[in-house]
Amino acid sequence: MSYPSWILERSFGGLGVAVSPVNGASNDKWPTGPSSPMSSEACRAMMMACSAGDSLGPAHMVFLVGGAGNGKSRLAAEVVKYVQGTRKGSASAFAQRSYEFDLPNGRSLHV
C-alpha cells in the first residue's frame, strides 16, 4: 500500500509547505488555523516595536518554536510584510534560515 500523494506533499520540507518570510508565498490548498497560544500576539508586539519611530527604544525578541506546520514561517512572513523593511544581503532562489532587514526607523530586524 502506498501513501497518497497529498501526504508526501505535506511532509516536512515538501514543496509549497513552508512560507518564505521574504516572498510570503504559500500553497493555498492547505488549511490554515489559529496560531499557537500567544504567538500571533507576540508577533503583533514585534510589528509595533519595528514600526515605532523611536530608534533608541528597547530591543524586542520573539522566538517561535514548534513542530513543522504550526505556522512559524507564516507568522514570520506577516511580520516582514508589515514592517516594510529593506532586505540586507543578496537574494536567493532558495529559502534561507536567516534574513536581515533595515527598517524605516533606522533599526534592523533579524528573522
Side-chain angles (χ1 to χ4, degrees):
M1 181 172 156
S2 64
Y3 291 105
S5 62
W6 65 268
I7 290 178
L8 297 175
E9 291 171 4
R10 188 67 173 138
S11 65
F12 181 76
L15 294 173
V17 176
V19 177
S20 167
V22 174
N23 65 19
S26 176
N27 190 329
D28 290 334
K29 70 179 177 178
W30 302 114
T32 57
S35 301
S36 299
M38 296 306 295
S39 59
S40 60
E41 291 83 356
C43 287
R44 275 197 297 278
M46 173 68 77
M47 290 182 223
M48 299 312 295
C50 288
S51 299
D54 180 12
S55 63
L56 299 176
H60 290 74
M61 297 182 353
V62 173
F63 295 90
L64 299 173
V65 297
N70 76 346
K72 300 178 300 292
S73 296
R74 183 174 298 278
L75 286 170
E78 289 175 11
V79 169
V80 168
K81 182 177 180 182
Y82 180 86
V83 300
Q84 300 178 348
T86 303
R87 183 169 176 202
K88 294 181 182 181
S90 59
S92 171
F94 301 102
Q96 307 296 305
R97 291 285 183 194
S98 179
Y99 300 89
E100 291 203 42
F101 300 89
D102 285 324
L103 300 176
N105 63 6
R107 299 189 86 168
S108 61
L109 171 67
H110 186 99
V111 177

